[in-house]
Amino acid sequence: MKAVRVVSGTGVPLRRSDVDTDQIIPADWLKRVERTGFEKGLFATWRDDRDFVLNQEQYQGASVLVAGPAFGVGSSREHAVWAIQQGGFDAVIAPSFSDIFRNNCTKNGLVPVVLPEPIVEAIWTAIEADPSIEIVVDMERLMVEVPAAGITASFPMDPPTQHRFLEGLDDIALTLTHADAIDNYESSRPAWMG
């Protein structure tokens, strides 16, 4: 996973709550054996509606998805995170996330930002007024800023998770930070333990 210090870019106002993982990436996409190409299935059912926000030209190229409460509820599938990332997004801002979805985000490098609903609504309004407005997610300071709209807000994240993002550590890389201790243990344990 790549290190994430600052995510900066435009946003997409996904004014929907209780978005489940099956809506993010339909179940038929889970049959793929590759870990690529999931962006084509991102919100596939909703994409049939030409007025769906991700079909609107003014939001093309956005890197921050701004969603409603209870984003990522439903079944556990990393595919939902992969689809969002492969769709060009580096962060998702919402008032709340499913715990499993949030955990999948942190293990795959997609920044889940929890902000109070009134601030999310203010960001939606700012994006809709000016789709080119810049949103900055600062992982070192744990702050979201939309300078042109005068929005500044801190967001919670536990220090170990913040460290994972800042250093680009997935589960394997995190384990390998203890390689010396693992090697010491392996070299000192009795041979009969295999």
Side-chain angles (χ1 to χ4, degrees):
M1 148 175 146
K2 67 177 183 173
V4 179
R5 297 197 175 279
V6 175
V7 173
S8 178
T10 59
V12 172
L14 184 64
R15 286 185 176 263
R16 296 183 187 216
S17 60
D18 301 300
V19 174
D20 68 40
T21 52
D22 196 48
Q23 292 164 324
I24 297 170
I25 186 82
D28 56 328
W29 282 84
L30 306 184
K31 300 172 187 170
R32 298 176 59 89
V33 293
E34 306 88 11
R35 193 177 158 177
T36 59
F38 289 101
E39 71 279 1
K40 296 173 187 151
L42 180 61
F43 301 117
T45 304
W46 294 344
R47 290 271 178 124
D48 290 341
D49 175 0
R50 65 186 189 99
D51 294 326
F52 177 59
V53 68
L54 285 180
N55 291 336
Q56 296 176 20
E57 187 176 330
Q58 68 267 32
Y59 300 122
Q60 299 308 303
S63 59
V64 181
L65 183 64
V66 186
F71 188 81
V73 296
S75 61
S76 171
R77 51 179 76 163
E78 282 184 301
H79 306 75
V81 172
W82 301 340
I84 292 168
Q85 288 177 305
Q86 292 169 24
F89 297 99
D90 298 316
V92 179
I93 297 172
S96 60
F97 294 94
S98 146
D99 288 341
I100 294 171
F101 178 81
R102 183 189 172 285
N103 192 41
N104 283 338
C105 287
T106 64
K107 291 176 183 280
N108 286 283
L110 178 64
V111 181
V113 177
V114 175
L115 291 178
E117 197 162 349
I119 295 174
V120 170
E121 289 176 5
I123 295 172
W124 282 336
T125 301
I127 295 169
E128 290 165 350
D130 179 5
S132 69
I133 200 165
E134 182 184 39
I135 300 168
V136 178
V137 178
D138 186 323
M139 290 301 295
E140 291 181 357
R141 297 184 305 128
L142 297 179
M143 297 289 291
V144 171
E145 297 172 316
V146 186
I151 298 170
T152 301
S154 63
F155 62 94
M157 184 170 286
D158 61 277
T161 301
Q162 180 187 23
H163 176 73
R164 288 174 70 115
F165 277 109
L166 293 175
E167 300 301 321
L169 301 172
D170 60 16
D171 285 347
I172 293 170
L174 194 59
T175 300
L176 290 176
T177 64
H178 303 284
D180 290 341
I182 294 167
D183 289 342
N184 287 339
Y185 172 77
E186 289 293 326
S187 66
S188 65
R189 72 183 187 148
W192 62 267
M193 293 181 73

